[in-house]
Amino acid sequence: MTQQDAELDREGRRPGEDRTDNSDDGAGAMPVRAVEDLLEAGDFPRLAALLADEHPSDVAHILEQLGGEQRTELIDLLRPSFDGEVLAYLPGELREEVIGQLEPKELAAAMAELDTDDAVDVIQDMEEEDQAAILANLPPETRALVEEGLTFPEYSAGRLMSREFVSVPMFWTVGKLLDYLRAAAVSGSDEVPEQFYDIFIVDPRHKVAGTVPLSRVLRAKRGVKLNEILHEDIHRIPATMDQEEVARLFRKYGLVSAPVVDGGGRLLGVITVDDVVDVIEEEAEADLLALGGVEEGDLYRAVLDTTKSRFRWLFINLITAIVASVVIGLFEATIEQVVALAVLMPIVASMGGNAGTQTLTVAVRALATRELSEANALRVVGKEVLVGTANGVLFAVIAGLTAFAWFQDPLIGVVIAAAMVINLVCAGLFGALIPLGLNRLGIDPAVSSAVFLTTVTDVVGFLAFLGLATLILF
Amino acid sequence: MTQQDAELDREGRRPGEDRTDNSDDGAGAMPVRAVEDLLEAGDFPRLAALLADEHPSDVAHILEQLGGEQRTELIDLLRPSFDGEVLAYLPGELREEVIGQLEPKELAAAMAELDTDDAVDVIQDMEEEDQAAILANLPPETRALVEEGLTFPEYSAGRLMSREFVSVPMFWTVGKLLDYLRAAAVSGSDEVPEQFYDIFIVDPRHKVAGTVPLSRVLRAKRGVKLNEILHEDIHRIPATMDQEEVARLFRKYGLVSAPVVDGGGRLLGVITVDDVVDVIEEEAEADLLALGGVEEGDLYRAVLDTTKSRFRWLFINLITAIVASVVIGLFEATIEQVVALAVLMPIVASMGGNAGTQTLTVAVRALATRELSEANALRVVGKEVLVGTANGVLFAVIAGLTAFAWFQDPLIGVVIAAAMVINLVCAGLFGALIPLGLNRLGIDPAVSSAVFLTTVTDVVGFLAFLGLATLILF
């Protein structure tokens, strides 16, 4: 709820200002070019004044778009009163960059404005030393909540949840609840957060008995007891549940908010769907980047860091490519006699690689969404083999005729056709088996499937083509 | 809000039942195997009874996991009283399958239970004939709303929005609002939906003046006027805005719900974040699948359909591979003299392909999230060229030494080293330029970038390696 809160707070401070209207196109009100120009002109007071009016999300967007040096300059300019909300909107890599540039005191001041879940989110990626420095500078109450949040495992519901919620005893009536909320608003008590969607009903041991959505409170008469209108059939999320699992649950059941509980079922916090939106996007992005062989945050890394992180993946690929070359090397004598083979051989390997990647992509995605599971694994593998066979036969005919027409040798056409069928069947089989196998071993299939697959389709492609050529042509 | 509503309705019908508890693991309560067994045993009455107790999302999950024939059997079993909510949870391909199997009357009965946004979502993908048949069987009021929903462009906010919302005049007080909501609850009027998160405040011409979150209503005294506590600084979403843009807006500003307005700013409906969750997941999935060369719904297609849809992509790749072969063919004479070249040549092309894919993946993703834009395009291209150069030099040394050691010829090492630098620089340059260029032309870079890139890295890889060999070795 924290981002929404942030916006509400800002709106509260500046009522009547209609910053976004019908023509809202999702871009920040202030173009990046304008910021660049002001930075170059050195007109810092004007820039600071303009940025103070921007939504923290827009400031984050501007920081993303700037080049490294100008970003450093802008952070320096914002340092004295850095808005903590901006940190919450920045992607991980950039957030670290900003954190590294702020003094612990400045950072603690920025963090004090954040809700606990955002503060935990920001602080968890920092070095232990830095964490201690920040924590020491936080107000005691916030500090206790943040420290408690950090005790939950990384990527767990406990890290994701907000500690700001409204919980009341089951025997209360709607009238008593309304009076309580109104009194809290008047006294400015921070027992009641700015924004919430459900009232959590707890029993005397603070176990969650159920929830009452606000729209249901509003429709009920004052005399109605909360335990008459509560939902008992709710999804209680254990604090240790992995955030990916949390996201799946929210998506599966169309949840808007859900209570987070400890092992004894006691209420610890609340997760709302907007926290989950970030998780969903991050998980989908992680799969996409992993399949492409890059790490998260790549876009914001400096040249040297990017080179290093990509080097690893390319190095593994080099080994794969050398393995394929060794296979080709086995057939030097054959190639020496029929050079046409050297001309045609990449075709079979390339088609296998592409067909395998199709299968792999579908399988990795379906594993991530749980659409592919033990229950239908065999069926999916069987289907992939059939699709591989069907396309193998089709491309065998096309490639065979093309090779025949090109080199005027029917036997070369037969060789490429046979190799094509073999490689596309293997591509389908291993494109499905590799991610399924890695997944069962507890290894993220998105990260490592592609290397294994390319090795298979390259080796099988060259081996089948050159091997069959050696057998058939001589 | 519709999925949440669905859940609430169900919960309303079966109060006190705690289907999911602390051990909730996101999987359906009923294992797919059990369904398969009952289908095989022909114990249909028992199966129907068991499935009637499942959440629609779980029934959808079971349908996903079953094989084609058993799915048909199960749909037949569910037909007489098919739960419309199940349709809302099914992925597109499967939904079409189910729709195709139901009679128009059965389908209309199922659809009548749905909220308008879900009904529009389900009906929009159908043939016009089928649409007309369904619409004719819907209750008149629902029908009018669905027909109106269909007038908005596909993938627009208008299709996504729910028509169920609460809007009241600005001069109302909190007390009057509470009385209105309570009276509506008593009379069972469908003016007030089961679930809502904001009260929309409209002026006499039904233009949105602002919103009041429910948590704010609850904290205010009865005498407070709504126009004293409303947020004016809200995001009004034009009904024609693309759903991807809507999702970006929600994510960027951490919105929970937003009003959808017509050209004159008049309130048409409301979009809530849980509708957006689906859009976010779909868009990320679409990019991932497109980069892998497969179409959406691939997992659920029959062998023949899958073969056909993948054939297209593979055919384009065959042409690319043949172009690369033609390049190799130019150097037949060179290869005939030094067969080692045939052995080594796939290495340079493969490394280029992989390095290019790294750049491409980052660029496609960053374009989708708008992190990459005109403002920083030049900087990103420049960085990619530098990274390509750096890794090019590193792999030139490694590959050069390997080739030298393998074939005992320093010149072959020089050739592969030089070709490696050239191809990795090209991979970085074109890996960034191709998606940027396609994006500017209004073509989805996720769909078509990879083919262009592979063509470049293959052609440049073989041309540089074999061309340099011809120049240097002879």
Side-chain angles (χ1 to χ4, degrees):
Chain A
M1 243 4 22
T2 60
Q3 299 185 350
Q4 174 81 351
D5 283 352
E7 193 179 34
L8 294 175
D9 289 342
R10 287 184 65 89
E11 286 167 16
R13 273 182 258 131
R14 314 186 289 115
E17 255 192 64
D18 199 327
R19 189 169 10 89
T20 52
D21 55 22
N22 287 351
S23 66
D24 193 337
D25 63 351
M30 190 171 178
V32 180
R33 285 278 152 81
V35 176
E36 286 176 336
D37 291 346
L38 285 168
L39 277 173
E40 267 162 40
D43 192 351
F44 299 138
R46 176 121 182 276
L47 182 54
L50 283 171
L51 286 176
D53 275 349
E54 292 287 316
H55 189 284
S57 162
D58 291 321
V59 176
H61 184 71
I62 289 167
L63 284 170
E64 283 170 15
Q65 302 273 309
L66 286 177
E69 273 177 52
Q70 289 198 311
R71 186 155 60 226
T72 309
E73 239 182 305
L74 184 58
I75 297 168
D76 254 342
L77 181 63
L78 298 171
R79 264 175 67 175
S81 58
F82 199 88
D83 184 348
E85 298 293 341
V86 175
L87 288 176
Y89 285 103
L90 280 175
E93 285 285 320
L94 272 195
R95 195 191 277 172
E96 277 175 41
E97 191 179 319
V98 174
I99 289 172
Q101 214 177 317
L102 297 182
E103 295 293 323
K105 285 228 166 161
E106 292 166 340
L107 196 47
M111 305 262 296
E113 300 166 28
L114 290 176
D115 278 330
T116 46
D117 57 337
D118 280 338
V120 169
D121 187 33
V122 169
I123 213 170
Q124 65 183 356
D125 299 324
M126 299 167 62
E127 305 286 322
E128 249 179 69
E129 235 177 289
D130 296 331
Q131 283 189 358
I134 305 292
L135 286 169
N137 283 298
L138 286 179
E141 209 175 318
T142 318
R143 179 184 172 159
L145 284 176
V146 171
E147 281 179 333
E148 204 183 307
L150 288 172
T151 61
F152 296 106
E154 238 185 317
Y155 307 116
S156 69
R159 293 268 178 115
L160 203 61
M161 72 186 181
S162 168
R163 314 298 292 262
E164 287 85 13
F165 54 81
V166 178
S167 65
V168 300
M170 5 193 355
F171 58 81
W172 278 23
T173 60
V174 167
K176 188 161 168 61
L177 173 65
L178 287 177
D179 294 342
Y180 163 74
L181 293 173
R182 285 172 189 164
V186 171
S187 73
S189 148
D190 51 0
E191 256 177 66
V192 175
E194 165 76 20
Q195 181 84 326
F196 52 96
Y197 301 95
D198 289 290
I199 307 287
F200 293 103
I201 312 298
V202 290
D203 71 10
R205 288 164 303 153
H206 214 65
K207 280 181 73 169
V208 188
T211 63
V212 186
L214 300 191
S215 52
R216 199 170 266 216
V217 176
L218 285 173
R219 274 186 311 225
K221 296 237 156 95
R222 282 185 67 92
V224 173
K225 279 206 171 147
L226 291 178
N227 65 10
E228 293 167 34
I229 56 171
L230 61 73
H231 294 310
E232 291 179 282
D233 186 11
I234 56 172
H235 295 269
R236 295 166 181 84
I237 295 180
T240 51
M241 184 185 267
D242 186 81
Q243 63 173 14
E244 210 171 330
E245 200 57 53
V246 174
R248 197 152 25 228
L249 214 59
F250 266 75
R251 201 169 123 72
K252 184 165 181 189
Y253 296 107
L255 305 179
V256 169
S257 82
V260 179
V261 295
D262 67 11
R266 280 177 296 271
L267 184 61
L268 294 176
V270 54
I271 293 179
T272 38
V273 62
D274 58 331
D275 305 317
V276 171
V277 165
D278 292 331
V279 174
I280 288 178
E281 179 117 357
E282 280 163 25
E283 301 286 350
E285 174 161 310
D287 282 352
L288 186 131
L289 294 180
L291 279 173
V294 280
E295 292 172 17
E296 281 169 81
D298 189 283
L299 189 67
Y300 301 110
R301 293 202 181 146
V303 172
L304 207 64
D305 286 337
T306 309
T307 304
K308 254 200 282 184
S309 88
R310 292 199 198 161
F311 177 87
R312 278 172 231 141
W313 176 253
L314 289 176
F315 186 75
I316 298 172
N317 272 296
L318 179 62
I319 293 172
T320 302
I322 289 175
V323 170
S325 288
V326 170
V327 173
I328 300 172
L330 299 175
F331 300 95
E332 268 190 72
T334 308
I335 295 171
E336 207 154 18
Q337 286 181 273
V338 189
V339 181
L341 297 176
V343 175
L344 293 173
M345 69 185 182
I347 294 178
V348 177
S350 153
M351 290 297 284
N354 280 309
T357 301
Q358 291 181 326
T359 303
L360 186 77
T361 305
V362 174
V364 165
R365 180 64 192 157
L367 281 170
T369 59
R370 299 275 169 101
E371 289 173 272
L372 176 54
S373 68
E374 301 278 312
N376 58 354
L378 206 68
R379 202 160 39 239
V380 168
V381 173
K383 176 187 154 182
E384 288 302 332
V385 171
L386 286 178
V387 172
T389 311
N391 267 329
V393 170
L394 289 171
F395 284 104
V397 173
I398 300 172
L401 290 176
T402 309
F404 170 43
W406 190 349
F407 292 99
Q408 298 297 322
D409 183 345
L411 282 184
I412 285 189
V414 170
V415 167
I416 200 171
M420 188 71 85
V421 175
I422 292 170
N423 208 21
L424 290 207
V425 171
C426 280
L429 181 64
F430 287 95
L433 280 185
I434 290 171
L436 277 166
L438 290 171
N439 189 58
R440 192 182 269 194
L441 295 174
I443 302 167
D444 183 354
V447 175
S448 35
S449 292
V451 186
F452 290 107
L453 178 70
T454 321
T455 311
V456 171
T457 54
D458 274 1
V459 168
V460 172
F462 290 126
L463 201 61
F465 181 68
L466 296 173
L468 285 172
T470 310
L471 288 177
I472 294 177
L473 297 183
F474 300 102
Chain B
M1 240 7 22
T2 60
Q3 299 185 347
Q4 174 81 352
D5 283 353
E7 196 180 31
L8 294 176
D9 288 342
R10 285 182 67 88
E11 287 167 13
R13 272 182 257 132
R14 310 186 292 115
E17 255 191 62
D18 200 327
R19 190 165 12 86
T20 52
D21 56 22
N22 288 352
S23 66
D24 194 337
D25 65 348
M30 191 171 175
V32 180
R33 284 279 152 82
V35 176
E36 287 176 335
D37 291 344
L38 286 168
L39 278 174
E40 268 161 40
D43 192 351
F44 299 140
R46 175 121 184 275
L47 182 54
L50 283 170
L51 286 176
D53 274 348
E54 293 287 316
H55 190 284
S57 162
D58 291 320
V59 177
H61 184 71
I62 289 168
L63 285 171
E64 284 171 13
Q65 302 272 309
L66 287 177
E69 273 176 51
Q70 291 199 311
R71 186 154 59 228
T72 309
E73 239 181 305
L74 184 58
I75 297 168
D76 254 342
L77 181 63
L78 298 171
R79 263 174 70 175
S81 58
F82 199 87
D83 184 349
E85 297 294 339
V86 175
L87 289 175
Y89 284 104
L90 281 175
E93 285 283 319
L94 272 196
R95 193 190 278 171
E96 278 176 41
E97 193 180 318
V98 174
I99 290 172
Q101 215 178 316
L102 298 181
E103 296 293 319
K105 283 226 166 157
E106 291 167 340
L107 196 48
M111 305 263 296
E113 300 165 27
L114 291 176
D115 278 331
T116 45
D117 56 341
D118 280 338
V120 168
D121 187 32
V122 170
I123 212 169
Q124 66 184 355
D125 298 324
M126 299 166 63
E127 305 287 321
E128 247 179 74
E129 238 175 287
D130 296 330
Q131 282 190 357
I134 305 292
L135 287 170
N137 283 298
L138 285 178
E141 208 174 315
T142 316
R143 177 184 173 158
L145 284 175
V146 171
E147 281 179 335
E148 204 181 307
L150 288 171
T151 61
F152 296 106
E154 239 186 316
Y155 307 115
S156 69
R159 292 270 178 114
L160 204 60
M161 72 188 180
S162 167
R163 316 298 291 262
E164 286 85 15
F165 53 81
V166 178
S167 66
V168 300
M170 24 197 331
F171 57 82
W172 277 23
T173 60
V174 168
K176 189 162 166 62
L177 172 64
L178 287 176
D179 295 341
Y180 163 74
L181 292 174
R182 286 173 187 164
V186 171
S187 73
S189 147
D190 52 357
E191 256 176 66
V192 175
E194 164 74 21
Q195 182 82 325
F196 51 96
Y197 301 94
D198 289 291
I199 306 285
F200 293 104
I201 312 298
V202 292
D203 73 9
R205 285 164 306 152
H206 214 65
K207 279 182 73 168
V208 188
T211 64
V212 186
L214 299 193
S215 52
R216 200 169 265 217
V217 176
L218 285 173
R219 273 186 312 228
K221 296 239 157 91
R222 284 185 65 91
V224 173
K225 279 203 175 152
L226 292 177
N227 66 11
E228 292 167 33
I229 54 170
L230 61 73
H231 294 310
E232 291 178 285
D233 185 10
I234 55 171
H235 296 269
R236 294 168 183 83
I237 295 181
T240 51
M241 184 185 269
D242 187 80
Q243 63 173 15
E244 210 171 332
E245 199 58 55
V246 174
R248 199 154 20 233
L249 213 60
F250 266 73
R251 201 168 123 72
K252 184 166 183 190
Y253 295 106
L255 305 179
V256 171
S257 81
V260 178
V261 295
D262 68 11
R266 278 176 298 270
L267 184 61
L268 293 176
V270 55
I271 292 178
T272 39
V273 62
D274 58 329
D275 304 317
V276 171
V277 164
D278 292 332
V279 174
I280 288 177
E281 178 118 358
E282 279 163 25
E283 301 286 351
E285 173 161 312
D287 282 352
L288 187 132
L289 294 180
L291 279 173
V294 278
E295 293 174 15
E296 280 170 82
D298 187 282
L299 188 67
Y300 301 110
R301 292 199 182 149
V303 172
L304 206 67
D305 286 337
T306 309
T307 304
K308 254 200 281 183
S309 89
R310 294 202 198 158
F311 178 87
R312 277 171 232 141
W313 176 252
L314 289 176
F315 187 75
I316 298 170
N317 272 296
L318 179 65
I319 293 170
T320 303
I322 290 174
V323 170
S325 288
V326 169
V327 172
I328 300 172
L330 300 175
F331 300 95
E332 268 189 73
T334 307
I335 295 172
E336 208 152 19
Q337 286 182 273
V338 189
V339 181
L341 296 177
V343 175
L344 293 172
M345 70 183 181
I347 294 178
V348 177
S350 155
M351 291 296 286
N354 280 309
T357 301
Q358 291 180 325
T359 303
L360 186 76
T361 305
V362 174
V364 165
R365 181 64 193 158
L367 281 169
T369 59
R370 299 275 170 99
E371 290 171 273
L372 175 55
S373 67
E374 301 279 310
N376 58 354
L378 208 66
R379 201 160 41 237
V380 169
V381 173
K383 176 188 153 181
E384 288 301 333
V385 171
L386 287 178
V387 171
T389 310
N391 267 328
V393 170
L394 289 171
F395 283 104
V397 173
I398 300 173
L401 291 176
T402 307
F404 170 43
W406 189 348
F407 291 99
Q408 298 297 325
D409 183 344
L411 283 183
I412 285 190
V414 171
V415 167
I416 200 171
M420 189 71 84
V421 176
I422 292 171
N423 208 21
L424 290 207
V425 171
C426 279
L429 182 64
F430 287 95
L433 281 186
I434 290 172
L436 278 166
L438 290 171
N439 190 57
R440 190 181 271 193
L441 294 174
I443 301 168
D444 182 354
V447 175
S448 34
S449 293
V451 185
F452 290 108
L453 178 69
T454 319
T455 311
V456 170
T457 54
D458 274 0
V459 167
V460 171
F462 290 126
L463 200 60
F465 181 68
L466 296 172
L468 285 171
T470 310
L471 288 177
I472 294 177
L473 297 184
F474 300 102

